[in-house]
Amino acid sequence: MKLAMIGFGQAGGKIVDRFLDYDDRTNSGIVRAAIAVNSAKADLIGLDRIPEENRVLIGQARVKGHGVGADNELGAEIAEEDIDEVQNAIDAIPTHEVDAFLVVSGMGGGTGSGGAPVLAKHLKRIYTIPVYGLGVLPGTDEGGIYTLNAARSFQTFVREVDNLLVFDNDSWRQTGESVEGGYEQINEEIVRRFGILFGAGEVGDGQEVAESVVDSSEIINTLSGGGVSTVGYASEEVELNTSGGLLSRFTGGDGGGGDGLDAANTTNRITSLVRKAALGRLTLPCEIEGTERALLVLSGPSKYLNRKGIERGRKWLEEETGSMEVRGGDFPRGEPEVSAAILLSGVTNVPRIKRLQQVAIEAQDNMDDIQEESDENLEELVEDDEDELEPLF
């Protein structure tokens, strides 16, 4: 699948930057074009892979390149005011070679949180290809203002895109790690999961063709209908033995040239891997029952991609989700692991989003109370002096 990726805000720009790095490492060719949009000049300078001509600084008249300070209403305003500058960069994209736009942003900040939904709405008005969003939720420990921003951005973003893929930072934070190290690990996890999904079906020179190809139309059909999506992932290593053949805990066989592969064991291991992916850590934790559509991609060395196992895994997903639209296929790759990536689209039983909205409402009420109290305190402070002093004007 060929994507035009637009990273909006600091988090969005860094994730798109990491996607370009993933493209180079895996030769997947997912990113047909990459653009970064920000109101903070320093964040744009800090990017490594996105070409300088594709880095768009907005809001210079309002914030002078210093960002919007987590004010996502201001972020939305400057995105609307400077949308033509963003469009100038998009005009250079050969959209006839692109399957979809992917607008990437963190939803807790200011520029991306406010601007990404504005851009998505603009793109949908102009182009006929799908416009997807990839939104990152802030951790609950990041503060009330970021939670409030995320709740407001989420309900706007999901309405303006054809589908919103969500990644929840709360589920991926590890105790004791630095903030920078935490975000590095999170961004790598985002790119790995979505990279395998979007890269499925791409065949380079000398690469094997899948038995059951997952092409861009399969992904588009899975994401059709809108709503919220999450991705599950699980993998097991395939090791090289001393004679150069493949030796794998995954198959339980000797793997020397393939003769020792146990088909029944491989089928069972694939089914187990699919269960781990669906019931393990999702990008957005949710109950998978009630999922509207799903897509299963098994990737790894072709001799380990057992067709019967893939079909059994797909059937299990149908039973667990209750969906009749579960697609599946394989993606032969030379990497020393077998992995299962599952896209669950149209999920609705998402406790994290409910909690986010509740906390945001409480934060908004608290902020209103604090502002009211602050106004009253200031009035009292000034009134104490007014009887004896005359103001200047």
Side-chain angles (χ1 to χ4, degrees), residues 120-297:
K121 183 178 183 178
H122 171 80
L123 292 172
K124 282 189 71 176
R125 195 168 59 238
I126 295 176
Y127 299 96
T128 56
I129 60 175
V131 178
Y132 303 127
L134 171 52
V136 181
L137 293 176
T140 49
D141 60 347
E142 292 184 38
I145 182 63
Y146 300 103
T147 299
L148 178 57
N149 282 351
R152 296 181 71 195
S153 180
F154 173 84
Q155 71 174 30
T156 311
F157 205 7
V158 74
R159 192 176 64 232
E160 300 299 345
V161 293
D162 290 299
N163 200 294
L164 182 61
L165 306 149
V166 181
F167 193 97
D168 179 20
N169 276 354
D170 241 13
S171 300
W172 295 89
R173 285 279 175 77
Q174 294 180 9
T175 54
E177 68 184 354
S178 67
V179 173
E180 186 175 346
Y183 286 135
E184 283 290 310
Q185 186 257 340
I186 284 168
N187 288 350
E188 185 59 35
E189 194 65 45
I190 290 171
V191 168
R192 180 189 297 120
R193 291 180 175 227
F194 291 106
I196 287 175
L197 275 173
F198 291 129
E202 293 296 328
V203 182
D205 293 336
Q207 289 183 315
E208 294 181 77
V209 179
E211 281 193 47
S212 180
V213 177
V214 178
D215 58 21
S216 58
S217 64
E218 301 275 8
I219 300 170
I220 289 169
N221 287 337
T222 304
L223 292 171
S224 67
V228 175
S229 292
T230 183
V231 175
Y233 178 82
S235 66
E236 287 193 19
E237 288 183 0
V238 177
E239 299 171 349
L240 286 173
N241 67 16
T242 52
S243 63
L246 285 166
L247 177 66
S248 176
R249 294 191 304 273
F250 181 78
T251 61
D254 65 12
D259 295 333
L261 295 184
D262 182 336
N265 195 31
T266 304
T267 299
N268 291 337
R269 290 298 183 92
I270 285 178
T271 308
S272 174
L273 204 59
V274 171
R275 292 185 184 197
K276 280 184 191 174
L279 302 176
R281 260 199 310 188
L282 301 171
T283 59
L284 176 66
C286 68
E287 297 295 329
I288 70 171
E289 186 180 355
T291 299
E292 291 178 15
R293 297 165 300 280
L295 174 67
L296 165 64
V297 177

Side-chain angles (χ1 to χ4, degrees), residues 30-45:
I30 301 166
V31 189
R32 184 63 187 84
I35 294 171
V37 184
N38 211 317
S39 61
K41 191 173 183 179
D43 291 341
L44 290 175
I45 292 171

Side-chain angles (χ1 to χ4, degrees), residues 318-332:
E318 278 187 358
E319 291 168 6
E320 290 296 308
T321 60
S323 171
M324 296 306 293
E325 287 189 64
V326 179
R327 299 169 174 86
D330 58 310
F331 178 26

